[in-house]
Amino acid sequence: MRQSSHLLEKIDSPRDLKKLHRSELPDLAKEIRKTIVDVVSTSGGHLASSLGAVELTIALHYVFDTPTDKILWDVGHQTYAHKLLTGRRERFATLRRHGGISGFTKRSESPYDAFTTGHSSTSISAGLGVACAKRLKNDSSKVVAVIGDGSLTAGLAFEGLNQTGDTHNDKDMIVILNDNEMSISHNVGALSSLLSRTFSASKLQMLRKEFGEFLKSLPRIGENVYQLAKRSEESFKTFVTPGMLFEAFNFEYFGPIDGHNLDHLIDILKNIKTMNEPVLLHVITKKGKGYRQAEQNPVYFHGVGSFDVDTGICRKITTDAPSYTDVFGKTMLELARSNDKIIAVTAAMPEGTGLVPFSKAYPDRFFDVGIAEQHGVTFAAGMATEGFRPVVAIYSTFLQRAYDQIIHDVCIENLPVVFALDRGGIVGEDGPTHHGLFDISFLRSIPNMVVMAPKDENELRHMLATAVVYDGPISVRYPRGRGTGAKLDKTLAIIPIGKGEIVSHGGDLLILAVGSAVSEAVCAGTLLSENHRIQATVVNARFIKPLDRELIVPLVQKIRHVITVEENTIQGGFGSAILELLSDQGINDFTIKRLGILDHFVEHGPQDILRSKYRVDAAAIIDAARAMLRPERNMKVV
């Protein structure tokens, strides 16, 4: 047998993997895990999920003929082993680095990535689309969708299951349920309870007897139903084990099986590969498998920064400033102490949104709805109709999934629901599926919605205090990462709705900024004064909707040279709102430059590099100011 230290370096494609003997595969799995841990310890990433899926990944590529056979990975955060086995081994050290390989599957990156992912619960629907397309082309190759039990909490997954199992059309598709009893945090809800059921022989016998007596007690039909249930030795299990759910969708159900037993995985995959109908294979895996620290704390190592491999301890952060997430969580606790109507709602992300302390202090007022943003928003709307003040804490990118519910269930009736949008703006290494670059545009277009963005972590506290007493829909978006180091006021104040503030005064240039862009504007204003003799008035708009007309309009009329700055797509964003305001006021004697994200998706990479590349930092403001303050010219909109 070859030494395990040489197995992975020989694999450039699944074709090479198939040359290995089965007895070599466990050593390959160990080597893959070591490589993943070593790289993620420096680059950061989704460690626990990828470690848990190593054997499953090996078995899939060992049995199926990828990329002709298609494997669609739900979310894609568990695909580091997949990347190592499909021609990206030599580039794996660039994982999540700017210009390197993505932390998720990406069609433009590899033909082995059948579908671009990042958000959950898409694999079954996309896989069904691929399978139906193959059938129309008379293509008999296989389609496999790999989905975690956490992703099954989303309605989209069930919509896909429902159509896949439609008996009117033959669907040749395999769904693999990777069950580790977790999504990002521990799973919640009745489905999670169902999937985790296991029974001893004695308990199963007792349940069979009790359930049989119940069936026979049903009026008129009881005895017939009981006899039907007895026809198969396994039929009772179908009533009380996970198989009953998937068989109801007309899937052939197999499992649950050990997702770390390579021989068992390979044998059963070879068998179900020959079937030409909807099949669901239920595998049990352990998140963080093979790295003790991740096994013991899979939530922490779900998405982790750089860390020491020996201890698992994250490398020290150079700033003492708290994160916006932590400030949000602590402020929620503070507000809830004096207002028993405040409710916290999140979608499978209590850790990521900073709500774990709230959940422990007020368990009856905390609701984790699972990966179900649509349901979460409508659930919050229902609570608001009964006099509560629900705060829906969801990442900006994930709130996109609930857009109709925001309009239909919250805003039409002007219900007092607070939307706390973490990760607003450029998020960094998770890339285009996770940047929060659209929320300003899609929220400010909705009637009744108030849209806020704080300049720092202290202002975030005051905005939350404002939001929970506002009688209508209101949102506050704040960035990923550490705050500016602003001193936190002990007393919370209510900010008048639609009122901005002047941060600095100058007569040459007006910089209108919002959210995290305010600190860049302040920095630019200082450097313009010191190095270029340009004096700028910097305004912290605070509100994208409603804008502070009484503040902004007179300043534009006086200064006439305007730059708007936002970390959001430029279409329909803050700069567009300023233009609309000035147009409505009949003001046209000014020059304006809008800085924001232009019409494309932003790749993954460090936040500072991306802000510089996409021209939303202090240097971009300085360049725009110097270009603008040339000889007078007629208004030009850029």
Side-chain angles (χ1 to χ4, degrees):
M1 183 190 299
R2 283 178 283 178
Q3 295 296 314
S4 62
S5 60
H6 297 299
L7 293 175
L8 183 56
E9 68 183 40
K10 301 286 187 181
I11 296 176
D12 293 317
S13 73
R15 187 180 298 108
D16 298 320
L17 172 66
K18 295 175 191 293
K19 296 175 184 177
L20 298 182
H21 191 272
R22 276 203 198 188
S23 62
E24 297 176 289
L25 299 182
D27 285 335
L28 175 63
K30 291 179 182 177
E31 190 176 345
I32 287 174
R33 283 196 169 92
K34 182 180 185 305
T35 301
I36 291 173
V37 170
D38 288 345
V39 169
V40 175
S41 71
T42 60
S43 68
H46 292 92
L47 182 63
S49 300
S50 280
L51 292 179
V54 171
E55 285 85 3
L56 177 59
T57 304
I58 292 172
L60 283 167
H61 283 296
Y62 199 76
V63 171
F64 291 93
D65 299 317
T66 57
T68 302
D69 291 334
K70 303 297 183 184
I71 302 175
L72 291 86
W73 300 89
D74 207 89
V75 183
H77 63 317
Q78 75 283 58
T79 57
Y80 294 174
H82 163 77
K83 289 174 183 282
L84 284 167
L85 296 174
T86 54
R88 285 164 280 186
R89 171 178 51 80
E90 293 185 353
R91 297 188 65 209
F92 192 67
T94 71
L95 179 73
R96 302 175 79 244
R97 298 185 184 277
H98 191 238
I101 62 174
S102 170
F104 303 93
T105 53
K106 193 173 183 180
R107 293 185 71 238
S108 59
E109 183 177 290
S110 170
Y112 292 93
D113 291 357
F115 200 70
T116 298
T117 54
H119 290 193
S120 85
S121 315
T122 63
S123 59
I124 299 174
S125 296
L128 177 59
V130 172
C132 288
K134 284 180 174 292
R135 188 183 65 206
L136 291 172
K137 297 190 298 182
N138 295 316
D139 180 347
S140 61
S141 60
K142 308 299 288 189
V143 177
V144 182
V146 183
I147 186 169
D149 51 317
S151 292
L152 276 182
T153 60
L156 177 61
F158 284 92
E159 293 168 18
L161 286 171
N162 185 53
Q163 188 183 356
T164 304
D166 182 358
T167 56
H168 292 92
N169 295 293
D170 293 331
K171 312 290 195 322
D172 179 9
M173 181 173 163
I174 298 168
V175 174
I176 296 179
L177 172 58
N178 177 25
D179 183 357
N180 56 32
E181 299 186 358
M182 296 187 71
S183 49
I184 296 169
S185 305
H186 290 283
N187 285 330
V188 297
L191 176 63
S192 174
S193 175
L194 172 69
L195 293 178
S196 64
R197 288 180 184 173
T198 57
F199 298 95
S200 66
S202 59
K203 187 174 182 180
L204 185 61
Q205 191 67 29
M206 180 184 69
L207 285 171
R208 177 186 287 129
K209 180 178 180 181
E210 291 179 356
F211 194 63
E213 293 300 321
F214 166 73
L215 290 177
K216 287 190 287 186
S217 70
L218 296 174
R220 299 184 182 178
I221 62 171
E223 185 63 32
N224 290 336
V225 173
Y226 174 69
Q227 292 301 327
L228 180 65
K230 283 183 61 180
R231 288 178 187 172
S232 167
E233 181 64 26
E234 296 299 312
S235 63
F236 179 76
K237 292 182 182 180
T238 301
F239 281 100
V240 293
T241 59
M244 72 175 185
L245 173 66
F246 303 109
E247 290 179 5
F249 283 107
N250 296 314
F251 275 77
E252 284 293 327
Y253 172 83
F254 297 89
I257 67 167
D258 182 358
H260 300 297
N261 185 324
L262 276 161
D263 281 331
H264 198 178
L265 280 170
I266 290 170
D267 287 340
I268 196 166
L269 287 173
K270 284 184 174 181
N271 287 331
I272 65 177
K273 182 180 178 181
T274 64
M275 301 176 69
N276 297 307
E277 57 189 300
V279 173
L280 188 136
L281 173 62
H282 185 177
V283 302
I284 305 297
T285 60
K286 185 175 183 63
K287 207 168 182 180
K289 176 74 172 178
Y291 181 56
R292 179 175 55 84
Q293 290 85 347
E295 289 185 15
Q296 293 174 346
N297 194 351
V299 174
Y300 178 80
F301 283 96
H302 171 79
V304 68
S306 61
F307 61 92
D308 180 82
V309 173
D310 293 331
T311 64
I313 297 174
C314 270
R315 295 189 171 95
K316 188 175 181 180
I317 297 171
T318 57
T319 177
D320 293 329
S323 70
Y324 281 90
T325 300
D326 287 341
V327 171
F328 166 77
K330 291 176 180 177
T331 306
M332 282 289 290
L333 272 177
E334 186 176 341
L335 291 167
R337 290 190 197 106
S338 59
N339 185 345
D340 62 6
K341 296 298 184 182
I342 291 177
I343 302 293
V345 180
T346 190
M349 302 206 64
E351 287 82 11
T353 56
L355 285 173
V356 169
F358 188 103
S359 71
K360 293 177 178 178
Y362 304 104
D364 293 339
R365 293 156 60 187
F366 171 77
F367 298 90
D368 181 353
V369 300
I371 305 178
E373 293 84 0
Q374 292 172 285
H375 160 64
V377 170
T378 302
F379 169 82
M383 297 206 77
T385 65
E386 291 296 316
F388 287 91
R389 294 297 174 120
V391 178
V392 181
I394 296 178
Y395 289 5
S396 168
T397 184
F398 298 141
L399 191 65
Q400 295 164 184
R401 297 159 67 99
Y403 190 56
D404 178 66
Q405 285 67 37
I406 297 171
I407 296 173
H408 184 272
D409 301 329
V410 176
C411 289
I412 286 179
E413 286 300 326
N414 201 32
L415 295 176
V417 176
V418 178
F419 295 94
L421 279 67
D422 202 330
R423 273 65 166 178
I426 291 172
V427 301
E429 290 79 4
D430 282 339
T433 59
H434 282 63
H435 293 310
L437 296 173
F438 306 102
D439 56 88
I440 288 177
S441 300
F442 72 69
L443 288 176
R444 83 171 188 90
S445 65
I446 306 174
N448 292 331
M449 177 66 78
V450 172
V451 183
M452 303 184 289
K455 71 176 186 292
D456 57 35
E457 61 270 38
N458 185 51
E459 192 164 72
L460 170 60
R461 285 170 46 77
H462 299 305
M463 285 187 173
L464 279 173
T466 303
V468 296
V469 297
Y470 179 71
D471 289 323
I474 188 167
S475 66
V476 53
R477 61 109 70 166
Y478 44 97
R480 172 183 177 265
R482 300 278 157 177
T484 65
K487 181 180 178 181
L488 302 182
D489 296 333
K490 292 183 178 180
T491 302
L492 295 173
I494 306 302
I495 301 173
I497 297 297
K499 291 300 178 182
E501 64 171 355
I502 296 177
V503 179
S504 63
H505 293 269
D508 300 321
L509 177 70
L510 174 61
I511 306 174
L512 302 173
V514 69
S516 59
V518 173
S519 61
E520 298 290 337
V522 170
C523 177
T526 299
L527 294 174
L528 284 169
S529 176
E530 293 176 352
N531 300 333
H532 304 286
R533 297 182 181 178
I534 296 173
Q535 307 305 317
T537 290
V538 176
V539 171
N540 168 26
R542 286 178 172 160
F543 292 84
I544 297 100
K545 181 185 177 186
L547 290 169
D548 191 342
R549 179 178 58 83
E550 295 178 355
L551 174 66
I552 293 170
V553 171
L555 285 172
V556 173
Q557 290 174 319
K558 178 182 178 181
I559 300 175
R560 300 193 303 116
H561 299 291
V562 183
I563 296 174
T564 66
V565 197
E566 62 192 299
E567 207 164 294
N568 186 79
T569 184
I570 206 164
Q571 288 90 348
F574 171 65
S576 296
I578 296 295
L579 282 173
E580 292 164 12
L581 170 66
L582 299 177
S583 175
D584 290 345
Q585 297 297 312
I587 300 171
N588 53 31
D589 185 19
F590 65 95
T591 301
I592 188 168
K593 172 70 176 179
R594 293 179 299 153
L595 296 180
I597 305 301
L598 299 179
D599 190 20
H600 50 248
F601 292 104
V602 175
E603 71 274 22
H604 66 273
Q607 289 171 296
D608 56 346
I609 289 177
L610 295 176
R611 286 172 181 142
S612 175
K613 178 178 178 179
Y614 290 96
R615 310 298 288 156
V616 289
D617 61 355
I621 298 170
I622 292 170
D623 290 344
R626 296 183 66 195
M628 180 178 289
L629 293 172
R630 290 170 181 166
E632 293 287 331
R633 56 194 174 186
N634 292 329
M635 174 194 170
K636 181 179 180 181
V637 177
V638 183

